Amino acid sequence: MNTKSTAPGGRTTPSSAPARPGGADFQPAVTAGPRRRDSVRKSAVAAALILACALAGFRANVQAQPVARSDNAGRVVILNASDPYLPAFIELDRAMRQTIRDRRGAQVEFHAETLDLFRFSAGHIENQLVSLLGRKYDALTVDVVAVAGEPALAFALDHGDTIWPGAAIVFHSVRVDLLRDRVSRRDIAGVPVRFEIDATIDLALALAPATRRVALVAGTAELDQRYLAAARTALAGRKSRLETLEIVGGSLASTIDAVSRLPRDSVVLFLTVFRNEAGERFVPREFLQQLAAVSPVPMFGLFETYVGAGVVGGMITSYAAQGRRAGELVASILDGRRADAIGIQAPIPPGCMVDSTRLRHWGLRESRLPPGCDVRFREPTLWERHRDLILATLAVLVAQSALIVLLVLGRRRLRGAQSALRDELDRRRQAEGVALGLRARLARFARERSMGALATAIAHEVNQPLVAIQNYAQAARRRLKGSDDNKPKVLDLLAKVEGQAERAGAITQRVRRLMNAEEMPLASIPVRPAIDTAVDLMRPEADALGCRIDVIAGSPITVLADPLQVQLVMVNLLRNAMQAVAGAQADDRTITVEILAIDDQHAQVRVTDRGPGVAPGREHDIFEPLFSGGSGMGMGLAIARSIVEAQGGKLWHEPVPAGGARFLFTIRRATV
């Protein structure tokens, strides 16, 4: 390991390193273990030769059958100078591909090639690589070669016409100062990258103004040495204030040891460590993480993947922004624009990017950051995390305090109010009890009033058994006046008298139960006679109002019900229908009663009139007690619904589109 220092006013001797151009902005995600150079060289050559032989075996088939594509599809080869699993390349590649897809949709075909020139030199296998790629793409027409990094750009410029003839070249992640000697072709476009080492040092001094030393950490790979040379140049003008320390080319253990012994007035500028003097290869980001764990001073860097891996921050160009800009250039060429018309774009300016957790770790003030700095991984403060909860808690505390004051001041008045409230509550309960009693009496009165319509039917039914009793009694008396042989006949007549008396008693018993709201026993009865009886009862009133009642029924239906209650429901519905059509002076005063079986379990009765119907929005109110749309008490439909539901049915209303109202109720059918 080379550890050098430059005191203020002194001179630093740069470390020697191999000289081949290298990209600067790729930070790996996978660690490569140490390997010997000769072993790596032999493995790379062997792999290239094996692939070349394998391709040669099927080259003839590929050449004979060019790959077809749609006329509007574009073919893009992504040529990567680094390991394809490096997080920097992944972010760049994702942004570039997504931008192209957003512009072109599905009309693009991607191919990816990796040179991995940051870790391996291509000089001894370059011819094999050119031959291999030439055979691979011999049958493909490539529109654009998108190169990532300066080594890939150099390879594409040297061999692109051989491997991908006619393809435009679009580059990204190439330093501005490396373009002057490399770019001479006209069919090339790209977006270079600029690294602000001076601005990063300024940021470090702004955050840690007591800094007197800057330690540069780098490896011995050619890319490592390029960044080291750029950092030396940036620090050359600061010799009067800053001492420069160099920790270059050592093993991981020796580098950790050197960093851990840095003075407290130092900062570390971590560049890249791809390889050390012993030939060991590393992943810069993971090398950085090892150093950050033991460093006694803040560390700064130039790459986005370093943020979150241990550095405080730096002046850094976003990988996503570079990828999106490169994707826009590729999409423009696929849309028909010439590469030389696009040319080399201005580099995306780096911006301040810091890790909030490292700021807190080193006690650096965020207020010293330049305006617009991208502060990442910021943990919200207690106020930011729980602002709403804190405000709500304060509001609750204030409200509770005010409430306590009000309760203390109003305690006496509250006691008086509570006493008055209890008295009022007692009076209200008494009033509710009286109201419930009155409502029950009113319901009973309405039921009794409805029973008046059935008085004729009841008298008719009771009159039949009474007449029969009278006839049977007279016949028995005549038999008794005759001979003794008439005794069996007399007994038979007396038995008939007893039966008719029981029939009359049953009729009066049903009426009594109905009037007292007792549960009625249900029996299997034909529904049509019960309906006809109710219709016959209402015909005199219908004739007086000029109404006509039509009964429509199909085959006989037997239901499980009490005939008297069915008749009571029908009387209510028919009376409402007649009053509706008569009160509205309707031209058609026909009231239709339909009896039908809707399924195996239920029969349905419909009463339809041609009156004004039920007012909109009142369909449910009409079944409430004491709701009246006319001169009645508003209890008829409520009672009718309770009777129907007590027998296992339902009563509801349906509007008639042509005008009028229709009330329907169901009755359970009797099982045979």
Side-chain angles (χ1 to χ4, degrees):
M1 176 180 70
N2 295 329
T3 305
K4 302 181 177 63
S5 66
T6 301
R11 182 174 64 88
T12 300
T13 302
S15 301
S16 62
R20 172 166 179 85
D25 61 335
F26 296 104
Q27 306 310 322
V30 181
T31 303
R35 301 185 180 92
R36 289 295 181 187
R37 295 177 182 175
D38 56 347
S39 174
V40 171
R41 184 179 298 111
K42 292 177 181 178
S43 299
V45 172
L49 291 176
I50 290 172
L51 287 173
C53 293
L55 285 174
F58 61 86
R59 180 175 181 273
N61 291 335
V62 174
Q63 282 183 320
Q65 299 177 3
V67 177
R69 60 173 178 171
S70 65
D71 293 337
N72 296 326
R75 185 172 287 128
V76 179
V77 173
I78 299 174
L79 186 63
N80 175 21
S82 68
D83 182 349
Y85 297 104
L86 301 184
F89 176 75
I90 292 174
E91 184 66 24
L92 283 159
D93 189 63
R94 180 190 298 115
M96 182 175 67
R97 289 178 185 245
Q98 187 60 51
T99 301
I100 297 172
R101 290 193 182 98
D102 290 343
R103 288 273 300 270
R104 298 279 299 176
Q107 297 179 342
V108 62
E109 179 182 322
F110 291 104
H111 298 266
E113 301 296 338
T114 298
L115 301 177
D116 204 3
L117 298 180
F118 288 176
R119 297 185 297 175
F120 303 99
S121 174
H124 59 287
I125 61 169
E126 189 162 344
N127 292 334
Q128 289 89 336
L129 284 174
V130 173
S131 176
L132 172 64
L133 294 175
R135 291 173 181 269
K136 180 176 180 180
Y137 289 96
D138 187 41
L140 295 179
T141 300
V142 176
D143 298 297
V144 182
V145 178
V147 297
E150 197 276 334
L153 176 60
F155 185 89
L157 292 173
D158 292 341
H159 307 292
D161 290 337
T162 301
I163 303 172
W164 305 287
I169 295 177
V170 174
F171 69 85
H172 65 81
S173 306
V174 178
R175 286 168 50 187
V176 176
D177 58 318
L178 299 178
L179 291 174
R180 301 186 183 97
D181 301 329
R182 297 300 308 176
V183 178
S184 60
R185 289 175 43 165
R186 294 178 57 82
D187 56 343
I188 185 170
V191 51
V193 64
R194 186 175 76 240
F195 295 99
E196 296 286 358
I197 297 178
D198 273 319
T200 299
I201 296 173
D202 290 337
L203 176 65
L205 296 177
L207 291 172
T211 299
R212 295 294 177 265
R213 298 175 180 85
V214 176
L216 303 178
V217 178
T220 60
E222 61 178 297
L223 181 61
D224 303 334
Q225 290 297 304
R226 283 183 178 273
Y227 289 121
L228 180 59
R232 287 169 177 164
T233 301
L235 287 168
R238 303 174 187 262
K239 293 179 181 179
S240 61
R241 177 183 175 184
L242 297 174
E243 177 185 354
T244 302
L245 306 175
E246 292 185 6
I247 305 174
V248 179
S251 65
L252 176 61
S254 63
T255 304
I256 289 175
D257 180 65
V259 169
S260 66
R261 290 186 287 105
L262 288 173
R264 294 291 179 178
D265 59 353
S266 307
V267 295
V268 174
L269 180 58
F270 184 86
L271 301 171
T272 59
V273 181
F274 282 103
R275 189 170 64 243
N276 65 6
E277 292 177 338
E280 296 176 319
R281 289 173 172 81
F282 301 98
V283 177
R285 186 175 188 272
E286 296 184 356
F287 199 102
L288 165 65
Q289 290 174 321
Q290 298 288 333
L291 298 183
V294 300
S295 175
V297 294
M299 303 182 71
F300 293 82
L302 304 176
F303 307 108
E304 186 176 5
T305 49
Y306 288 176
V307 180
V311 301
V312 174
M315 300 302 290
I316 298 170
T317 301
S318 167
Y319 289 130
Q322 295 179 63
R324 285 192 294 270
R325 179 75 66 84
E328 292 171 356
L329 301 184
V330 173
S332 296
I333 294 175
L334 293 177
D335 288 339
R337 193 175 179 189
R338 291 178 55 85
D340 56 0
I342 298 174
I344 299 175
Q345 305 292 301
I348 298 175
C352 174
M353 187 182 300
V354 297
D355 182 346
S356 176
T357 62
R358 304 311 294 175
L359 287 175
R360 288 197 304 274
H361 177 77
W362 296 113
L364 305 178
R365 297 180 184 176
E366 190 173 322
S367 60
R368 292 177 174 173
L369 294 173
C373 187
D374 182 5
V375 181
R376 300 191 176 184
F377 314 114
R378 174 186 281 144
E379 294 183 4
T381 63
L382 178 65
W383 169 256
E384 292 172 336
R385 288 198 305 269
H386 306 293
R387 178 177 178 274
D388 293 340
L389 180 60
I390 293 173
L391 291 177
T393 302
L394 291 175
V396 170
L397 291 175
V398 171
Q400 286 181 338
S401 300
L403 181 61
I404 291 173
V405 172
L406 291 175
L407 288 175
V408 171
L409 295 177
R411 187 174 183 180
R412 292 183 180 179
R413 288 183 298 174
L414 181 60
R415 289 179 177 177
Q418 288 176 340
S419 177
L421 184 61
R422 283 194 296 269
D423 295 341
E424 179 65 22
L425 183 61
D426 291 339
R427 289 193 295 270
R428 182 173 180 177
R429 288 174 178 172
Q430 293 176 358
E432 288 177 351
V434 173
L436 289 175
L438 292 175
R439 180 175 293 183
R441 292 177 61 186
L442 184 60
R444 181 175 179 182
F445 176 72
R447 190 183 297 111
E448 292 173 352
R449 186 169 179 266
S450 299
M451 285 297 297
L454 296 176
T456 304
I458 296 171
H460 177 73
E461 288 196 34
V462 173
N463 184 60
Q464 290 180 353
L466 291 177
V467 172
I469 289 172
Q470 181 180 7
N471 292 336
Y472 292 148
Q474 291 176 354
R477 185 172 58 184
R478 288 194 298 270
R479 294 286 184 178
L480 289 174
K481 289 181 179 180
S483 61
D484 294 338
D485 295 338
N486 292 326
K487 184 176 181 180
K489 294 289 186 181
V490 173
L491 293 175
D492 180 61
L493 291 172
L494 291 177
K496 291 180 179 180
V497 169
E498 183 179 5
Q500 293 299 321
E502 290 178 354
R503 178 185 173 192
I507 293 173
T508 57
Q509 186 67 24
R510 289 208 311 272
V511 174
R512 185 182 300 110
R513 287 181 177 176
L514 183 61
M515 295 300 297
N516 294 330
E518 297 179 8
E519 184 177 352
M520 299 289 290
L522 305 181
S524 297
I525 62 168
V527 68
R528 176 65 185 269
I531 299 297
D532 288 341
T533 300
V535 171
D536 292 340
L537 287 173
M538 300 306 297
R539 286 197 185 280
E541 186 175 345
D543 293 340
L545 295 174
C547 301
R548 189 182 72 193
I549 303 175
D550 293 338
V551 180
I552 302 173
S555 58
I557 301 173
T558 302
V559 298
L560 189 65
D562 179 77
L564 188 61
Q565 294 194 30
V566 173
Q567 293 167 12
L568 181 58
V569 171
M570 286 300 300
V571 166
N572 273 294
L573 297 181
L574 291 172
R575 175 171 289 133
N576 288 345
M578 290 187 297
Q579 291 175 351
V581 296
Q585 301 296 320
D587 296 334
D588 186 358
R589 299 193 177 188
T590 302
I591 300 170
T592 304
V593 179
E594 300 174 80
I595 307 171
L596 63 157
I598 57 175
D599 53 40
D600 296 339
Q601 302 295 325
H602 297 87
Q604 187 181 87
V605 180
R606 303 176 180 176
V607 179
T608 306
D609 63 65
R610 306 297 189 277
V614 178
R618 295 294 190 177
E619 293 84 356
H620 299 288
D621 297 339
I622 57 177
F623 292 100
E624 294 296 325
L626 303 179
F627 180 85
S628 174
S631 58
M633 293 183 296
M635 295 296 294
L637 287 176
I639 295 173
R641 171 175 274 186
S642 64
I643 291 174
V644 171
E645 291 177 350
Q647 300 188 68
K650 295 190 301 182
L651 171 63
W652 70 97
H653 163 267
E654 289 183 357
V656 179
R662 176 178 292 128
F663 288 87
L664 308 89
F665 68 92
T666 57
I667 313 174
R668 289 182 296 169
R669 297 182 65 177
T671 57
V672 181

